[in-house]
Amino acid sequence: MIKTLLNLLFPKPCSGCGTTLLESEHLVCTHCRHDMPFTQHHLDNNNETAKKFRGRLPVEHASSVVYFHKEGIVQGLIHNLKYRGKEEIGSMMGQWYVHDLKEIEALKDVTEVVPVPLHKKRLRERGYNQVEGFGKALAEGLGKNYNEDILLRTHYTKTQTKKNLAARAEIINESFDVAPTDSDNGKHFLLVDDVITTGATLEACGKALLKIPGAKVSIITMAYAHS
Ligand SMILES: [Zn+2]
């Protein structure tokens, strides 16, 4: 009764398309849920996400949950997740995918789920890492540890006088390092991120993790964008 009244007074928009949600719907409307552009990457070892890393980074498995299209449902979801405080979207997408991931043989020996770390400045502005909900949902669903301490962004401030500003920014952005203990040797790390476009950030993160002796890396992103 009170819930109905609250819904009438403060209608909640669908995070995908913006239409008012029914009382029975949560975060996304039935239409968006039905039209969700799932990639089915988990069924194909040679999928698009995996191909991005070929020749760049050895990965045990790589896949994305959904396709990101401009003006599409997933753009709405990611926008709400990153800029509108809708952290639960990440958890929801993680829960959608856990069932499929359990079937993947290559992921059986994963021990840690590792989020791509956010810049400290961004973290302060946003108040949360947008990948956290997704990563934690996967970790919980698969029975793995969620480890946000092992991978760090480093402040690479060496001046690149010959490069233009954009290139310099990218170099600064894409620097990562690891803070492992001896017990991390030989572990299989499942790296998670929100949207994969060029894969440069994930490649840099994966290379940092592979500095750990005997380490293996897999990658799962919430969304795949054609670059
Ligand atoms: Zn919708």
Side-chain angles (χ1 to χ4, degrees):
M1 174 66 192
I2 289 172
K3 200 179 164 201
T4 309
L5 199 63
L6 283 174
N7 271 346
L8 280 174
L9 291 172
F10 307 103
K12 289 199 179 78
C14 166
S15 301
C17 70
T19 59
T20 299
L21 290 175
L22 301 174
E23 206 184 326
S24 57
E25 295 168 339
H26 182 60
L27 287 173
V28 289
C29 72
T30 310
H31 287 291
C32 282
R33 183 69 180 82
H34 182 264
D35 293 340
M36 201 59 66
F38 287 107
T39 64
Q40 305 300 338
H41 277 171
H42 61 285
L43 301 175
D44 177 14
N45 283 333
N46 201 26
N47 68 59
E48 295 152 302
T49 303
K51 278 183 188 162
K52 292 230 187 201
F53 298 102
R54 196 142 307 150
R56 296 166 68 187
L57 179 77
V59 291
E60 308 304 311
H61 174 86
S63 58
S64 304
V65 186
V66 289
Y67 286 113
F68 182 100
H69 300 121
K70 280 240 161 71
E71 316 293 328
I73 300 167
V74 175
Q75 189 188 31
L77 290 179
I78 299 291
H79 182 82
N80 278 293
L81 170 68
K82 287 174 79 167
Y83 307 111
R84 297 277 172 90
K86 295 269 181 202
E87 276 188 85
E88 322 140 79
I89 289 169
S91 322
M92 172 184 74
M93 291 180 73
Q95 284 155 10
W96 288 347
Y97 212 37
V98 161
H99 182 76
D100 291 335
L101 292 184
K102 279 184 178 164
E103 304 302 315
I104 298 173
E105 206 51 46
L107 294 178
K108 295 256 155 81
D109 65 345
V110 164
T111 49
E112 318 280 308
V113 176
V114 179
V116 169
L118 198 64
H119 281 280
K120 283 218 173 76
K121 185 166 169 270
R122 279 282 152 67
L123 192 60
R124 268 201 304 273
E125 287 164 3
R126 191 171 296 155
Y128 58 96
N129 182 341
Q130 72 273 11
V131 188
E132 185 176 331
F134 182 67
K136 283 187 171 168
L138 294 188
E140 193 180 334
L142 298 171
K144 317 292 186 189
N145 297 322
Y146 180 75
N147 189 337
E148 58 187 354
D149 301 318
I150 196 161
L151 186 62
L152 315 162
R153 277 194 188 260
T154 52
H155 298 280
Y156 184 87
T157 48
K158 193 177 163 198
T159 315
Q160 305 272 318
T161 43
K162 282 181 191 153
K163 305 224 166 159
N164 63 29
L165 263 179
R168 209 183 302 166
E170 188 168 359
I171 287 165
I172 294 166
N173 288 346
E174 312 293 16
S175 298
F176 298 90
D177 208 353
V178 281
T181 62
D182 285 348
S183 65
D184 290 316
N185 290 358
K187 279 185 176 172
H188 184 175
F189 299 96
L190 178 59
L191 253 177
V192 293
D193 203 4
D194 50 6
V195 184
I196 182 169
T197 44
T198 65
T201 304
L202 283 159
E203 180 187 349
C205 288
K207 282 183 173 155
L209 285 167
L210 288 176
K211 286 195 255 173
I212 300 169
K216 292 193 286 183
V217 167
S218 288
I219 288 169
I220 308 273
T221 74
M222 299 168 71
Y224 176 95
H226 293 275
S227 59

